[in-house]
Amino acid sequence: MIISTERLTLREWRDEDRAPFAAMSADPAVMQFLRALPTRQDSDRWIDFQIAHQAAHGFGFWVVEDRATGTFLGATGLFRVTFDAPFTPAVEIGWRLARAAWGQGIATEAARASLAFGFDELGLDEIIAYAAPANHASQNVMRKLGMIRDEASDFDHPRVEADSPLRRQVMYRLARGAWTNGAMP
């Protein structure tokens, strides 16, 4: 499966994506607000999880590459939240981009394509996103996507250590009706 935008291709994972994903995941700036993938094995397990999720559900995080050059830029997509929380079951949108791809609207462009797939192809009623409170860049992308902040649903991530600054997460939501009605800025 391939999703194309003006500048990007979102596609399934290949073995040759493992090295650039591991290099990106070793960048402290990229991982500042994400759960660490400190080893190549951890990075490969994350990719394997995405491949398995794609096989089981028909969607997951896809590779984001430059459409003109084929350069690996990162990953974005949708996945089912795999932990228990007051807002589950839910499908989340997320992104992780190499630092060289920052500040160019790539996260927003790739995420819009993922939202279109989720609402238009999968028929989802709602897609959520969450981030650490200090992750202003991701929250800015969420707002650009038309997602609405839901303070009442902020939560402590059960897979993050209790003393970690990443434990608390702020919640954003986008309903299919808002997507369909063109509520995106």
Side-chain angles (χ1 to χ4, degrees):
M1 187 193 93
I2 294 176
I3 299 172
S4 295
T5 69
E6 182 180 338
R7 299 180 295 165
L8 308 172
T9 299
L10 281 63
R11 62 165 175 77
E12 295 178 4
W13 292 88
R14 301 178 191 144
D15 280 340
E16 61 265 24
D17 301 319
R18 292 178 183 274
F21 182 80
M24 178 183 73
S25 297
D27 183 337
V30 170
M31 301 304 290
Q32 179 179 6
F33 299 112
L34 300 170
R35 289 178 23 217
L37 298 173
T39 69
R40 173 65 188 259
Q41 273 188 321
D42 293 325
S43 176
D44 284 348
R45 275 195 289 274
W46 191 93
I47 291 170
D48 292 341
F49 172 81
Q50 296 305 325
I51 292 168
H53 190 282
Q54 175 79 30
H57 303 290
F59 61 93
F61 264 54
W62 299 286
V63 169
V64 177
E65 66 182 16
D66 182 289
R67 193 169 165 187
T69 66
T71 301
F72 178 94
L73 301 175
T76 194
L78 307 168
F79 65 93
R80 294 194 182 279
V81 177
T82 57
F83 54 83
D84 289 328
F87 56 84
T88 60
V91 173
E92 176 192 0
I93 187 167
W95 43 86
R96 178 179 303 203
L97 295 179
R99 197 180 331 182
W102 292 2
Q104 301 170 48
I106 291 170
T108 304
E109 185 175 333
R112 277 195 179 120
S114 297
L115 287 172
F117 183 83
F119 289 125
D120 301 340
E121 301 297 322
L122 299 175
L124 298 173
D125 292 325
E126 178 182 62
I127 298 173
I128 66 166
Y130 50 84
N135 189 345
H136 301 292
S138 279
Q139 290 182 64
N140 188 43
V141 171
M142 293 170 198
R143 288 188 295 274
K144 286 179 183 178
L145 296 170
M147 301 188 91
I148 304 298
R149 177 85 162 79
D150 179 8
E151 290 183 36
S153 294
D154 290 357
F155 68 103
D156 290 334
H157 199 299
R159 294 195 176 140
V160 176
E161 299 78 22
D163 62 346
S164 170
L166 302 181
R167 181 147 173 106
R168 191 69 179 163
Q169 298 284 301
V170 296
M171 176 70 72
Y172 284 75
R173 297 175 180 274
L174 183 61
R176 183 202 327 224
W179 173 264
T180 303
N181 293 328
M184 289 183 23

